Amino acid sequence: MKKIVLILICSANVMVVKAQKHEFLNPPKFADADLSKTKSLLDENAPAEILYKSVHFMVDHTIGELHKNIFTGLKSMIKIKLKIG
């Protein structure tokens, strides 16, 4: 009986883990058309445009800390140095 319960728990765990798609962690490849635009499609006067943004939260179970990873792709529409910070 213990063996059957262990097999059921392990198989349920594998199904949950395999069902997750982690595609959002891989930043997309940008086309040359996206990077060579001279003005934004949403606002013509915008100084920059966000091409890609992904936020991933991960809990470290050993020490109980929450880690937050942010991936952002920006395209500057003006020819000045942008200060990000």
Side-chain angles (χ1 to χ4, degrees):
M1 182 66 179
K2 288 182 183 180
K3 193 180 240 183
I4 293 173
V5 171
L6 180 64
I7 290 172
L8 288 174
I9 290 173
C10 290
S11 62
N13 189 21
V14 168
M15 284 189 286
V16 169
V17 170
K18 293 291 183 180
Q20 303 287 325
K21 289 188 177 181
H22 298 285
E23 294 175 0
F24 61 90
L25 294 176
N26 301 327
K29 305 282 191 257
F30 298 113
D32 290 334
D34 291 334
L35 300 175
S36 64
K37 290 190 295 188
T38 56
K39 56 179 143 177
S40 173
L41 298 175
L42 300 174
D43 184 14
E44 293 183 4
N45 297 326
E49 184 177 40
I50 297 174
L51 298 176
Y52 172 79
K53 184 173 183 178
S54 175
V55 180
H56 178 244
F57 295 97
M58 182 179 68
V59 177
D60 188 357
H61 296 288
T62 58
I63 54 177
E65 289 185 351
L66 176 69
H67 299 278
K68 181 178 179 182
N69 295 332
I70 301 173
F71 300 101
T72 305
L74 295 173
K75 165 68 173 126
S76 175
M77 301 298 175
I78 52 179
K79 301 291 182 188
I80 63 170
K81 293 182 181 178
L82 292 177
K83 185 176 183 180
I84 299 173

